[in-house]
Amino acid sequence: MATGAEPHVPAIPGIEHVDYLTSTTAMALTTLPVSLVVIGGGFVGLEQAQLFSRLGVQVTVVGRLAPHAEPESSSALRRVFEAEGITVIDDRAVAVTQDHARVRVRTRTAREAAGERVLIATGRTPRVDGLNLASAGVETNDHGFIRVDAYQRTTNPAVFAAGDVTDAPQYVYVAAMAGRVAARNALGHHEHVDYTGLPSVLFTSPQLASAGMTESDAIAAGYRCACRYLPMSDVPRAITNHDTRSGIKIVADADTGTVLGIHALADTAGEMMLAATYAIKSGFTVTQLADTWAPYLTMAEGIRLTANLFRNELPTSCCA
């Protein structure tokens, strides 16, 4: 089985009395609100917050911005948002009220955000109602997602599942790959999805993109980490673009030099992640990455320049 997910509405007191927007209904608006409070600082919340702000709406975001990103990237993205006039309240919403034409959101630290409309962007929940999973012996986890093993098999060995109905990363390409693996395994194969170097892209401007492990992921996995961060002010293409607001970070195994993760907040950062994924899946070390050809005056060249920092050398396109 493969099915989708729907917007998750958190149990915030008072939310049931408010005509809130979701990522789906927000795109169906025919008139813009004067002001908007976005609850949630993940992918959907940030993309739509910047979209509405650039359409002229006064936007406030309540929640941690890009909570799973590298702190260097999320901090830089916050500065970008604030420079564009988006108010950021780095706190959790605990109550929602509505009076007249204003929705008010109160946080744990008693801060308040008010707007004409409120957009809930706190994740997705699986759409499994009506599947009668219990009668088929298909179990779900505490969040309602179908439990699957490494081969996409559910707790009923005759049933396989893929897509947003499982607790896998909610990306189109992950659902497609898992669906292919589930179908092949249902026909007797023994395959699994390899998440090594998995890329992700947050389509804000600049884009926030990642491939592989973050520094905290690597530490949790038992690696002794070595990391380097290169500001975009040292990337020739970023200088040419007159946009040096962000940077690139490489996470490596300190003992072997193997590249574990590559992260960037930059114009076209998403385009850079294919090269990053190739490097991680191929087991490149930072030395190999630094010695690999990169075309001059491209943003992707920044990956090679960042890798060269592990030699404690200045980043330059003329390095040997």
Side-chain angles (χ1 to χ4, degrees):
M1 66 179 65
T3 187
E6 55 193 2
H8 167 67
V9 179
I12 302 174
I15 193 67
E16 69 277 10
H17 303 303
V18 173
D19 181 22
Y20 57 82
L21 297 168
T22 67
S23 58
T24 301
T25 59
M27 294 296 95
L29 290 174
T30 57
T31 59
L32 291 172
V34 173
S35 51
L36 176 70
V37 179
V38 178
I39 299 178
F43 280 57
V44 172
L46 297 185
E47 289 171 355
Q48 294 204 336
Q50 193 175 56
L51 166 66
F52 278 98
S53 175
R54 292 187 172 188
L55 290 173
V57 178
Q58 181 184 344
V59 176
T60 302
V61 178
V62 177
R64 288 180 57 200
L65 263 65
H68 303 296
E70 291 288 16
E72 297 91 341
S73 296
S74 57
S75 295
L77 184 60
R78 175 174 182 153
R79 291 193 294 270
V80 168
F81 270 42
E82 291 175 337
E84 293 187 6
I86 300 172
T87 301
V88 178
I89 299 178
D90 188 6
D91 200 2
R92 180 178 298 175
V94 296
V96 179
T97 58
Q98 185 161 11
D99 56 82
H100 305 295
R102 302 281 283 179
V103 178
R104 301 185 183 278
V105 178
R106 185 165 54 84
T107 73
R108 289 182 300 178
T109 56
R111 298 184 66 181
E112 185 177 275
E116 182 181 340
R117 300 297 301 270
V118 62
L119 168 63
I120 303 298
T122 53
R124 312 279 288 180
T125 54
R127 189 182 296 120
V128 295
D129 293 343
L131 294 181
N132 201 8
L133 297 177
S135 66
V138 175
E139 297 179 1
T140 58
N141 64 18
D142 293 340
H143 300 287
F145 292 97
I146 293 176
R147 296 182 186 274
V148 294
D149 62 14
Y151 306 99
Q152 305 301 134
R153 183 183 290 106
T154 71
T155 48
N156 179 336
V159 178
F160 294 76
D164 292 352
V165 73
T166 70
D167 205 6
Q170 294 185 346
Y171 308 132
V172 171
Y173 42 95
V174 171
M177 177 68 74
R180 183 184 69 83
V181 168
R184 287 180 59 81
N185 289 348
L187 296 175
H189 293 270
H190 199 64
E191 301 178 2
H192 70 280
V193 179
D194 180 6
Y195 289 100
T196 304
L198 179 70
S200 67
V201 186
L202 172 59
F203 288 101
T204 48
S205 178
Q207 296 173 3
L208 194 162
S210 297
M213 295 182 177
T214 63
E215 182 177 356
S216 61
D217 289 337
I219 293 172
Y223 288 99
R224 194 171 67 89
C225 283
C227 301
R228 296 292 187 275
Y229 180 81
L230 181 72
M232 281 297 165
S233 55
D234 287 320
V235 177
R237 182 51 188 261
I239 297 171
T240 303
N241 289 348
H242 302 286
D243 186 357
T244 58
R245 297 173 291 175
S246 43
I248 302 169
K249 181 175 182 178
I250 294 180
V251 179
D253 181 346
D255 297 319
T256 65
T258 301
V259 178
L260 301 175
I262 300 176
H263 313 273
L265 178 70
D267 181 33
T268 69
E271 306 295 336
M272 298 163 60
M273 288 305 111
L274 182 59
T277 295
Y278 286 163
I280 295 167
K281 285 188 68 69
S282 298
F284 269 36
T285 64
V286 290
T287 299
Q288 289 175 309
L289 192 55
D291 289 340
T292 298
W293 289 109
Y296 173 69
L297 216 58
T298 65
M299 294 298 290
E301 182 192 23
I303 295 176
R304 189 189 71 79
L305 297 177
T306 308
N308 204 57
L309 292 178
F310 285 86
R311 292 170 166 158
N312 296 318
E313 296 180 3
L314 292 175
T316 167
S317 297
C318 300
C319 285

